[in-house]
Amino acid sequence: ARGTENGKEWRVTLDTWPAPVDTAEAQATLNAMRAHGEDPADVRKASDLVGKIAYFVHRDYGGEWTKAMENVVPASDRMTTTDLISGALPLKSGDKDIRLVVGAVARTAQRVNCDWTNGTATVVERAGTGSGTEGGVIRSAEGSPYDWFVCLAPKGTAYQDARVTGLAQ
């Protein structure tokens, strides 16, 4: 996802790492993650990665990159119906308003509502449906068992809730 605010570009990126099948492959994956600057917090030894996918979400605002969220999940993990995992953070470091929402949903999710503290909402729909913006669509990500969305609250308000409001028929 990407956008522009106050003349500065922002974007959110997702890195996914495939599930290693054995300890040797897990060690190679862990070494590659670390060389890429990604070190999963819940992984104490390489074997902790066997059979698990790792993902890292990063936020960039005006060239300042920060890690927004990370997780290691079983490769078989799936979400269904209205399942949703999300995290909210300021658009840029040091802001007090928690306006940027990043989340994962089931592949059947067609629409997500991001509700803000001022009573308004942003509707995020699946990419290719003709609605949404570059910064606000549901997308699949190679290597991820989930689909992903990003939404940004208008200035002057903040995150309250996110929920799946539409499913594939």
Side-chain angles (χ1 to χ4, degrees):
R2 66 181 68 236
T4 304
E5 185 168 276
N6 297 330
K8 292 189 178 182
E9 291 186 17
W10 64 267
R11 63 184 172 150
V12 174
T13 61
L14 171 71
D15 291 337
T16 59
W17 296 86
V21 296
D22 57 31
T23 302
E25 192 175 307
Q27 187 62 60
T29 300
L30 189 57
N31 291 344
M33 282 182 193
R34 288 176 174 158
H36 192 65
E38 297 175 335
D39 196 0
D42 293 338
V43 173
R44 304 288 177 243
K45 55 191 182 301
S47 61
D48 293 341
L49 279 177
V50 173
K52 297 178 182 170
I53 295 167
Y55 65 82
F56 298 85
V57 178
H58 300 274
R59 170 201 60 195
D60 169 31
Y61 181 82
E64 178 189 334
W65 284 94
T66 54
K67 182 168 49 173
M69 59 196 290
E70 69 174 71
N71 204 358
V72 176
V73 298
S76 61
D77 196 35
R78 297 293 179 267
M79 291 184 178
T80 60
T81 63
T82 60
D83 291 349
L84 181 143
I85 300 168
S86 67
L89 62 155
L91 178 60
K92 69 176 191 168
S93 297
D95 276 0
K96 63 178 180 144
D97 292 329
I98 309 298
R99 301 176 43 220
L100 183 65
V101 180
V102 178
V105 293
R107 299 215 184 272
T108 54
Q110 298 296 305
R111 189 177 322 104
V112 172
N113 277 36
C114 293
D115 300 321
W116 314 121
T117 55
N118 69 355
T120 63
T122 299
V123 176
V124 180
E125 295 188 302
R126 183 158 298 280
T129 62
S131 58
T133 64
E134 273 299 296
V137 294
I138 301 169
R139 301 176 190 272
S140 59
E142 185 178 338
S144 175
Y146 322 122
D147 286 351
W148 293 84
F149 71 93
V150 173
C151 48
L152 180 64
K155 287 182 185 179
T157 190
Y159 172 75
Q160 180 173 312
D161 187 35
R163 57 199 159 81
V164 173
T165 58
L167 298 171
Q169 299 295 324

